[in-house]
């Protein structure tokens, strides 16, 4: 066995669960390292507290004087917890989060020093960020960007550093991060949803979009992960024959969690509690060594920050437990990949979930308004939604025979399908008084309050209604939720704006009663968005055909899927809503397309390297042993050797064939890369990587995996699937 593989496996034999202390109640730990409302009340003056609350609740700007008071209190609080540094914490356009740490420490006259943290340092900073991707924005406009405090997401302490959530923008105001457009989209959906909610309840003054993400991941022993250059460099295995036992027995799903993994989770959850991330559930997932973690849902901006923070925390805690967390969407071929379901709903300041059916017809009409408008928004923007979840790694899930398909559709369950079908069938034009009574009594009035029915959940749907929320399931496990959430909230905001205009015009122009007008508009929306609704098996070949007939997109790879992000329609949507301008939209596309190319390029290099430098030489070594054996047999048995050496000779030939194919594949792949690399246009280059380079991956892998089955296990250099996935 190769030394690396041998030692990696040996190391895992001695692994014991790392003991963790846990004698405090979780509720007591919750938010201990967060500068939350309670802490603020304790540390801030009345004025400062009011200032922050005004900023959080009403978006009022915080003045310099108040900022100084807040920063001083924040510093005192942080120092009381042994913190030495602070950082503006933000989400650049690639990577999870970025930080630049500064000490509170400052020297003063006389050779002494003090701890200092001023209001200016809290509110605004200039990270040395010339290396963050910015798609040309900063070159075009200004050389620098700055980070600015986002008071709606509380500061927290992580690894002895005070982290201040911030946005990252250029001096000319273009967003350079994921948070800025998200905040704007949330503002827009708040405005639009509040205006519509007022039809039903005048007391509504604010609507919050909620997000509850479910994070899937794999846990692999650290030493085993390190023994694989592909996992180390790309986050996934580029080759490896599937294990004799995979997930076919379904014995991992909801089974008991192995002790080492459980201790990791407990430790992780404790950290989450301290950081105010309200994690609630944990369980095994479908694939071996695959798990899921989900919190209680929160306001979207906060939930997005918490997910970004979580991904970082997960990796660091894993290290402590001698694990490596794989967040990649498809770390192993042949077993399920990982996603990040985004559960989304809209909630009013009066405490009503607008996507939850209620007890009265009036409440249900409100529910239907938001429910149908969301479906309509998804229908009209399915390509943009698809684009927002596109990435090199998510391509392995979407449209690659795995959950969910690359076609966006909406699943709503049989009960609601019936409701919408009935609504659709009422007369054209104005609804008659009789129909109105009927609808209220028999359709709207009878929507069951609780729709949650586990048997009625379609797991193959990328966008499913699950009782009181929509679940966007196609989001990738590595994704920053900000992107899908920006798009979803933006398209719903736009749809609700349109809805309001249409209803108002019926009320004013056609002198319709409010309810009549609402029913009329909804009925048209149901018709207009019928094609997006699909209740069947999303993985089936029939659905692909059917979807094509319905005119739904089915983009299986990132470069093509991303095009919807820069369509005139998308740019208009963002510009109308004031979320992003053309330059920002195009810059983002540029970054994503480049990232795609880089990821495929890295994978191609690593695969070529492993195939040529690890697999082929190992196969030759083993082949030489067989040759020696055959020669020996010939020496002993003379002409009779053929009978005795038949199998050996078959293997020798087999090895040669596979080696030939691998070398051919790698050479051709290198040539394709060379051609792609000289392409100037970044989109064209991405297409070249997608269509001309990536296509060699499967072929090269196939022959490497065949060799894995032929070559003596003792020689094989790479830790095998069965070892990666089944070592506890
Ligand atoms: P599953 O989808 O695995 O069956 P649940 O439906 O119970 O699990 O919840 C999954 C996630 O949905 C959790 O993160 C939870 O907080 C979130 N969630 C529940 N209700 C809402 C809601 N109204 N809005 C947004 N997220 C929600
Ligand atoms: Mg779910």
């Amino acid at each position: 066995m190769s030394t690396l593989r041998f030692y990696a496996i040996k190391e895992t034999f001695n692994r014991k669960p790392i003991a963790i202390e846990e004698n405090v109640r979780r509720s007591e730990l919750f938010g201990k390292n967060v500068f939350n409302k309670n802490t603020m009340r304790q540390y801030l003056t009345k004025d400062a507290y009011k200032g922050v609350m005004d900023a959080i609740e009403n978006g009022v700007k915080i003045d310099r004087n108040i900022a100084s008071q807040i920063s001083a209190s924040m510093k005192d609080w942080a120092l009381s917890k042994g913190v030495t540094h602070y950082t503006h914490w933000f989400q650049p356009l690639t990577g999870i989060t970025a930080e630049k740490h500064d000490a509170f420490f400052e020297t003063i006259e006389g050779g002494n020093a003090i701890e200092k943290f001023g209001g200016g340092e809290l509110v605004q900073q200039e990270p040395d960020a010339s290396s963050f991707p910015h798609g040309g924005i900063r070159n075009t406009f200004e050389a620098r960007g700055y980070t600015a405090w986002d008071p709606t997401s509380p500061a927290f302490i992580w690894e002895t550093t005070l982290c201040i959530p911030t946005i990252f923008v250029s001096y000319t105001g273009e967003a350079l991060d994921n948070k800025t457009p998200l905040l704007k989209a949330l503002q827009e959906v708040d405005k639009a949803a509040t205006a519509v909610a007022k039809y039903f309840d005048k007391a509504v003054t604010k609507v919050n979009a909620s997000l509850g993400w479910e994070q899937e991941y794999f846990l692999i022993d650290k030493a085993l992960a390190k023994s694989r250059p592909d996992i180390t460099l790309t986050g996934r295995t580029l080759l490896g024959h599937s294990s004799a036992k995979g997930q076919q027995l379904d014995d991992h799903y909801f089974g008991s969690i192995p002790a080492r993994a459980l201790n990791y989770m407990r430790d992780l959850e404790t950290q989450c509690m301290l950081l105010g991330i309200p994690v609630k559930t944990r369980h095994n997932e479908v694939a071996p060594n695959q798990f899921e973690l989900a919190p209680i849902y929160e306001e979207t901006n906060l939930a997005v920050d918490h997910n970004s923070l979580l991904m970082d925390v997960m990796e660091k805690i894993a290290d402590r437990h001698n694990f490596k967390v794989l967040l990649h969407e498809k770390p192993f071929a042949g077993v399920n990949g990982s996603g990040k379901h985004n559960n989304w709903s809209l909630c009013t300041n009066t405490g009503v979930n607008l996507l939850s059916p209620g007890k009265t017809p009036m409440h249900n009409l409100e529910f239907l308004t938001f429910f149908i408008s969301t479906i309509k928004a998804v229908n009209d923007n399915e390509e943009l939604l698809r684009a927002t979840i596109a990435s090199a790694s998510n391509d392995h899930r979407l449209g690659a025979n795995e959950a969910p398909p690359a076609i966006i559709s909406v699943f709503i369950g049989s009960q609601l399908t019936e409701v919408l079908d009935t609504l659709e069938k009422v007369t054209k034009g104005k609804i008659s008084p009789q129909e109105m009574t009927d609808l209220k009594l028999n359709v709207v009035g009878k929507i069951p309050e609780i729709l949650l029915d586990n048997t009625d959940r379609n797991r193959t749907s990328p966008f499913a209604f699950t009782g009181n929320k929509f679940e966007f399931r196609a989001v990738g496990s590595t994704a920053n939720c900000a992107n899908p959430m920006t798009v979803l909230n933006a398209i719903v905001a736009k749809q609700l704006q349109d809805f309001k205009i249409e209803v108002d015009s019926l009320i004013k122009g056609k002198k319709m009663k409010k309810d009549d007008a609402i029913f009329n508009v909804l009925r048209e929306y149901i018709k207009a968005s019928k094609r997006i609704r699909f209740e069947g098996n999303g993985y089936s070949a029939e659905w692909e055909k059917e979807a094509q007939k319905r005119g739904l997109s089915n983009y299986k790879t990132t470069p093509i899927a991303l095009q919807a992000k820069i369509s005139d329609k998308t740019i208009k949507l963002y510009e109308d809503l004031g979320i992003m301008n053309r330059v920002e939209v195009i810059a983002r596309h540029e970054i994503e397309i480049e990232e795609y190319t880089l990821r495929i390029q890295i994978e191609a290099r690593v695969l070529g390297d492993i195939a040529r430098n690890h697999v082929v030489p190992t196969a030759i070594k083993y082949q030489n042993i067989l040759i020696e054996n055959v020669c020996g047999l010939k020496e002993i048995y003379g002409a009779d050797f053929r009978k005795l050496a038949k199998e050996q000779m078959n293997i020798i030939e087999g090895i040669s064939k596979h080696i030939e194919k691998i070398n051919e594949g790698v050479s051709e792949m290198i040539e394709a890369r060379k051609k792609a690399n000289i392409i100037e246009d970044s989109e064209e280059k991405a297409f070249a990587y997608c269509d001309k380079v990536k296509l060699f991956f499967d072929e090269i892998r196939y022959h490497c995996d065949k060799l894995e089955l032929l070559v003596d296990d003792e020689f094989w250099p790479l830790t095998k699937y069965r070892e990666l996935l089944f070592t506890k």
Side-chain angles (χ1 to χ4, degrees):
M1 194 181 291
S2 79
T3 11
L4 200 54
R5 180 172 161 225
F6 174 77
Y7 281 111
I9 295 170
K10 185 160 174 265
E11 232 179 300
T12 64
F13 278 119
N14 303 321
R15 298 268 200 241
K16 298 219 164 42
I18 308 260
I20 51 161
E21 300 257 338
E22 206 182 48
N23 44 19
V24 194
R25 281 190 202 183
R26 297 247 160 123
S27 56
E28 283 169 36
L29 296 177
F30 190 72
K32 270 252 176 337
N33 290 346
V34 183
F35 200 62
N36 55 21
K37 277 189 196 172
N38 278 338
T39 318
M40 281 196 258
R41 221 176 269 129
Q42 206 181 321
Y43 277 82
L44 294 180
T45 60
K46 247 194 183 151
D47 279 353
Y49 182 76
K50 197 181 159 293
V52 182
M53 286 306 132
D54 253 6
I56 296 173
E57 278 152 23
N58 312 315
V60 178
K61 234 180 141 195
I62 292 176
D63 74 42
R64 285 271 150 181
N65 176 24
I66 298 278
S68 302
Q69 290 184 38
I70 298 168
S71 63
S73 310
M74 242 188 219
K75 182 198 68 186
D76 289 345
W77 171 72
L79 290 177
S80 78
K81 291 184 160 283
V83 168
T84 51
H85 286 67
Y86 67 92
T87 180
H88 275 199
W89 182 85
F90 59 102
Q91 295 161 37
L93 292 173
T94 54
I96 302 172
T97 53
E99 325 166 347
K100 173 189 161 234
H101 296 193
D102 279 301
F104 289 127
F105 174 86
E106 202 147 286
T107 50
I108 51 170
E109 249 187 48
N112 293 337
I114 53 161
E115 261 80 27
K116 190 172 163 276
F117 181 49
E121 288 148 322
L122 165 68
V123 173
Q124 195 167 312
Q125 273 230 320
E126 230 175 273
D128 175 21
S130 48
S131 58
F132 288 113
H134 46 73
I137 291 180
R138 289 190 324 176
N139 294 347
T140 324
F141 290 82
E142 269 280 350
R144 293 171 307 179
Y146 66 93
T147 52
W149 182 32
D150 165 22
T152 60
S153 180
F156 57 89
I157 295 166
W158 171 234
E159 297 194 311
T160 70
T161 299
L162 173 68
C163 301
I164 299 151
T166 56
I167 56 168
F168 180 33
V169 287
S170 75
Y171 271 99
T172 42
E174 277 82 16
L176 299 173
D177 66 348
N178 287 308
K179 191 193 260 268
T180 309
L182 173 69
L183 287 173
K184 289 182 180 168
L186 291 172
Q187 231 172 42
E188 289 311 304
V189 85
D190 169 16
K191 270 195 281 182
T194 301
V196 172
K198 275 186 191 293
Y199 281 141
F200 307 94
D201 180 3
K202 290 265 179 291
V204 175
T205 54
K206 188 171 171 63
V207 172
N208 268 327
S210 307
L211 165 64
W213 37 262
E214 301 164 63
Q215 177 75 53
E216 292 180 335
Y217 62 99
F218 279 84
L219 267 187
I220 302 297
D221 187 88
K222 184 161 78 177
L224 298 179
K226 270 196 186 151
S227 74
R228 298 266 318 208
D230 47 358
I231 296 183
T232 309
L233 297 175
T234 71
R236 73 172 179 115
T237 56
L238 295 170
L239 45 84
H241 199 279
S242 50
S243 161
K245 177 177 187 272
Q247 64 186 48
Q248 63 273 61
L249 293 178
D250 269 338
D251 50 356
H252 185 68
Y253 198 39
F254 284 112
S256 70
I257 300 172
R260 261 183 81 198
L262 187 62
N263 276 20
Y264 163 72
M265 288 177 196
R266 284 169 56 192
D267 203 356
L268 174 63
E269 285 161 4
T270 302
Q271 292 308 318
C272 286
M273 286 297 117
L274 291 168
L275 289 164
I277 308 174
V279 290
K280 187 150 165 80
T281 59
R282 59 174 176 216
H283 60 78
N284 291 351
E285 263 302 325
V286 181
N289 279 7
Q290 190 188 26
F291 305 96
E292 183 189 290
L293 175 123
I296 296 169
Y297 65 93
E298 302 175 280
E299 186 281 315
T300 300
N301 176 41
L302 187 58
V304 168
D305 280 358
H306 278 165
N307 182 253
S308 299
L309 176 59
L310 173 94
M311 291 195 276
D312 186 30
V313 175
M314 282 175 93
E315 288 183 352
K316 291 192 170 132
I317 304 289
D319 199 59
R320 208 142 86 185
H321 290 258
N322 294 311
F323 277 126
K324 178 158 175 73
V325 168
L326 302 182
L327 292 170
H328 193 285
E329 282 79 356
K330 191 76 182 173
F332 302 99
V335 295
N336 267 34
S338 302
K340 174 151 44 200
H341 297 180
N342 277 207
N343 294 271
W344 171 90
S345 67
L346 293 170
C347 195
T348 67
N349 61 312
T350 53
V352 174
N353 176 356
L354 296 167
L355 288 166
S356 181
K359 288 193 183 79
T360 62
M362 193 55 179
H363 183 93
N364 278 340
L365 186 56
E366 181 176 45
F367 158 70
L368 284 176
T369 296
F370 286 91
F371 175 68
I372 295 167
S373 295
T374 305
I375 297 173
K376 174 81 164 39
V378 173
N379 176 72
D380 294 0
N381 298 280
E382 46 102 9
E383 289 180 284
L384 180 55
L385 268 183
R386 166 66 185 94
T388 193
I389 47 166
S391 70
S393 49
N394 212 16
D395 277 359
H396 294 281
R397 290 171 72 230
L398 308 179
N401 309 319
E402 188 174 323
I407 308 159
I408 299 291
S409 65
V410 181
F411 168 85
I412 59 172
S414 54
Q415 292 163 319
L416 285 168
T417 298
E418 220 180 287
V419 172
L420 297 203
D421 287 348
T422 317
L423 270 176
E424 187 192 333
K425 286 191 199 103
V426 293
T427 30
K428 281 189 186 158
K430 198 180 162 191
I431 293 165
S432 70
Q434 180 56 43
E435 278 174 326
M436 194 68 189
T437 316
D438 259 16
L439 284 176
K440 283 201 168 159
L441 284 178
N442 298 324
V443 183
V444 180
K446 288 208 173 134
I447 297 175
E449 193 183 344
I450 297 171
L451 282 164
L452 286 163
D453 173 4
N454 276 313
T455 56
D456 203 18
R457 286 192 177 197
N458 186 331
R459 295 266 161 206
T460 67
S461 175
F463 199 93
F465 184 71
T466 48
N468 59 357
K469 63 191 189 288
F470 279 100
E471 194 170 331
F472 192 11
R473 300 204 185 109
V475 182
S477 48
T478 53
N480 182 320
C481 301
N483 291 317
M485 283 298 114
T486 300
V487 168
L488 181 57
N489 288 293
I491 62 175
V492 170
K494 179 73 178 63
Q495 187 56 61
L496 291 172
Q497 284 179 357
D498 291 350
F499 176 81
K500 177 95 179 17
I501 293 168
E502 288 170 64
V503 171
D504 283 351
S505 92
L506 288 183
I507 295 173
K508 287 198 192 99
K510 299 244 156 87
K511 305 265 179 284
M512 264 191 210
K513 279 198 195 131
K514 186 181 74 189
D515 289 5
D516 288 9
I518 290 172
F519 268 121
N520 267 286
V521 175
L522 290 181
R523 182 192 55 204
E524 297 312 309
Y525 282 6
I526 294 170
K527 286 186 201 161
S529 57
K530 219 172 162 184
R531 63 165 192 162
I532 202 78
R533 276 162 46 204
F534 179 63
E535 302 285 304
N537 178 6
Y539 305 164
S540 66
E542 295 84 67
W543 171 228
E544 280 203 52
K545 274 191 219 137
E546 168 66 21
Q548 195 182 9
K549 262 193 232 149
R550 295 190 191 181
L552 294 171
S553 70
N554 184 8
Y555 301 129
K556 298 201 176 197
T557 57
T558 296
I560 181 117
L562 281 181
Q563 286 183 333
K565 282 205 168 176
I566 43 168
S567 70
D568 288 342
K569 186 176 158 192
T570 300
I571 292 173
K572 184 168 179 341
L573 170 82
Y574 284 134
E575 287 189 336
D576 285 353
L577 292 170
I579 292 174
M580 281 191 276
N581 62 31
R582 179 176 283 272
V583 175
E584 289 169 293
V585 174
I586 289 175
R588 262 149 225 268
H589 177 261
E590 182 80 0
I591 289 166
E592 285 179 77
I593 208 88
E594 268 172 18
E595 184 180 350
Y596 176 82
T597 300
L598 291 174
R599 296 227 176 248
I600 304 293
Q601 188 177 55
I602 292 169
E603 289 193 346
R605 285 183 185 150
V606 175
L607 179 61
D609 169 41
I610 299 178
R612 277 220 167 125
N613 305 330
H614 298 233
V615 172
V616 169
T618 306
I620 293 175
K621 255 188 232 158
Y622 179 58
Q623 196 186 37
N624 279 338
I625 289 187
L626 294 172
I627 291 170
E628 224 174 275
N629 174 276
V630 173
C631 292
L633 289 171
K634 191 175 174 189
E635 223 167 84
I636 300 171
Y637 296 101
D640 282 344
F641 89 100
R642 277 184 193 282
K643 221 166 64 198
L644 296 164
K646 203 173 120 211
E647 281 312 311
Q648 290 89 317
M649 283 161 71
N650 279 342
I651 301 174
I652 290 169
E653 277 167 36
I655 289 176
S656 284
K657 272 186 202 139
H658 292 306
I659 289 176
E660 190 191 331
K661 289 283 181 199
I662 292 169
N663 276 332
E664 255 174 40
V666 174
S667 299
E668 284 175 41
M669 181 170 73
I670 291 171
E671 279 313 305
R673 231 159 56 214
K674 280 186 191 154
K675 277 191 199 139
N677 288 343
I678 51 173
I679 299 174
E680 291 270 328
D681 181 80
S682 55
E683 193 177 22
E684 214 181 296
K685 192 189 223 161
F687 273 107
Y689 265 93
C690 180
D691 302 330
K692 307 256 164 69
V693 176
K694 201 178 61 170
L695 99 191
F696 291 103
F697 288 14
D698 283 350
E699 172 82 359
I700 296 169
R701 177 182 189 141
Y702 174 83
H703 293 284
C704 289
D705 290 355
K706 285 285 170 203
L707 284 176
E708 185 184 322
L709 292 183
L710 288 179
V711 171
D712 185 352
D713 182 63
E714 288 281 318
F715 287 14
W716 197 252
L718 296 161
T719 305
K720 294 185 172 179
Y721 265 32
R722 64 161 188 270
E723 293 149 353
L724 288 166
L725 286 169
F726 291 94
T727 313
K728 297 261 153 78

